[in-house]
């Protein structure tokens, strides 16, 4: 029953997006159908072993303005970097289990010691704006698959080497891996 609810949430999110018709570009989908088969949406690891990322609905790829939706799969032992971003993020765990590390001291000099949270199928959590976090697939037998919704796309990510690295030393990654191909610098007015 709960798995059915998670799948229903995914389906409702997909159906709620309106059709977008955009100018011709290799990065913009034109005539995007309202209902799409998720198994036909391209996925890639973007040079990151153990990751499979799919942009279900995105700002650069689909013209979304307020939210972006991803489906990500992490093989056993795979994890995100320690990072933060100036957007809200919501996760729904579809399958597998793992650990969320969350340091909620975004106003201090560095993230500090993170809290550990066990995540499991049909669990959900949100990441507040600018809180450093990391997601690990700590299950050695099963992939961790997550449905992710972010606000204010495209995302600008600040990456940390460790939890004691000062916020002002974090490395900025923009555009992020899956946005690199489609990101274009905004036109500047010339005087």
């Amino acid at each position: 029953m709960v798995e059915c609810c998670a799948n229903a949430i995914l389906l409702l999110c997909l159906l709620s997006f309106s059709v977008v018709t955009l100018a011709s570009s290799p990065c913009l989908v034109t005539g995007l159908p309202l209902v799409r088969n998720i198994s036909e949406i391209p996925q890639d690891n973007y040079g990151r072993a153990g990751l499979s990322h799919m942009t279900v609905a995105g700002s650069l790829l689909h013209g979304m303005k307020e939210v972006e939706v991803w489906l990500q799969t992490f093989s056993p032992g795979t994890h995100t970097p320690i990072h933060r971003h100036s957007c809200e993020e919501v996760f729904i765990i579809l399958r597998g289990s793992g650990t969320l590390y969350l340091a909620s001291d975004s106003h201090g000099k560095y993230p500090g010691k993170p809290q550990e949270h066990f995540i499991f199928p049909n669990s959900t959590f949100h990441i507040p704006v600018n809180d450093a976090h990391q997601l690990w697939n700590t299950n050695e037998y099963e992939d961790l698959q997550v449905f992710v919704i972010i606000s204010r796309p495209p995302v600008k990510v600040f990456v940390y080497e460790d939890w004691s690295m000062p916020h002002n030393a974090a490395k900025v990654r923009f555009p992020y891996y899956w946005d690199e191909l489609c990101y274009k610098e905004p036109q500047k007015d010339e005087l």
Side-chain angles (χ1 to χ4, degrees):
M1 173 75 173
V2 177
E3 182 177 333
C4 178
C5 290
N7 290 335
I9 290 170
L10 176 61
L11 182 60
L12 286 173
C13 287
L14 290 174
L15 292 175
S16 69
F17 298 121
S18 60
V19 175
V20 179
T21 303
L22 301 165
S24 179
S25 164
C27 292
L28 300 175
V29 176
T30 58
L32 183 67
L34 180 63
V35 178
R36 295 176 286 151
N37 183 339
I38 201 164
S39 65
E40 295 173 0
I41 297 174
Q43 56 186 319
D44 197 341
N45 70 1
Y46 299 91
R48 299 171 66 186
L51 171 70
S52 173
H53 172 91
M54 173 190 305
T55 299
V56 176
S59 65
L60 298 178
L61 188 59
H62 304 108
M64 301 297 294
K65 304 282 187 238
E66 302 295 327
V67 296
E68 192 157 284
V69 179
W70 305 331
L71 182 62
Q72 296 181 322
T73 305
F74 298 85
S75 64
T78 304
H79 57 86
T80 67
I82 301 168
H83 67 286
R84 67 178 170 86
H85 33 70
S86 60
C87 65
E88 295 172 307
E89 189 172 29
V90 176
F91 288 78
I92 299 170
I93 309 305
L94 300 177
R95 66 181 160 107
S97 59
T99 304
L100 164 67
Y101 296 93
L102 178 65
S104 56
D105 190 5
S106 58
H107 301 291
K109 292 183 179 188
Y110 55 91
K113 182 176 172 45
Q115 294 178 331
E116 294 183 30
H117 303 273
F118 177 68
I119 55 175
F120 50 89
N122 298 310
S123 62
T124 185
F125 59 91
H126 72 278
I127 306 295
V129 173
N130 282 323
D131 281 359
H133 58 285
Q134 184 176 44
L135 186 65
W136 277 78
N137 179 354
T138 50
N139 182 327
E140 60 186 77
Y141 303 107
E142 185 178 17
D143 287 349
L144 172 64
Q145 188 173 55
V146 297
F147 181 65
V148 185
I149 304 165
I150 65 161
S151 65
R152 297 189 249 171
V155 65
K156 182 185 288 186
V157 177
F158 297 84
V159 179
Y160 296 79
E161 292 173 14
D162 59 46
W163 296 98
S164 62
M165 184 177 195
H167 290 302
N168 61 6
K171 307 260 187 300
V172 177
R173 181 81 169 125
F174 184 80
Y176 209 61
Y177 295 97
W178 34 87
D179 291 331
E180 283 180 335
L181 179 64
C182 298
Y183 182 75
K184 294 182 179 150
E185 290 289 332
Q187 296 279 336
K188 294 182 182 178
D189 291 335
E190 298 290 333
L191 293 178

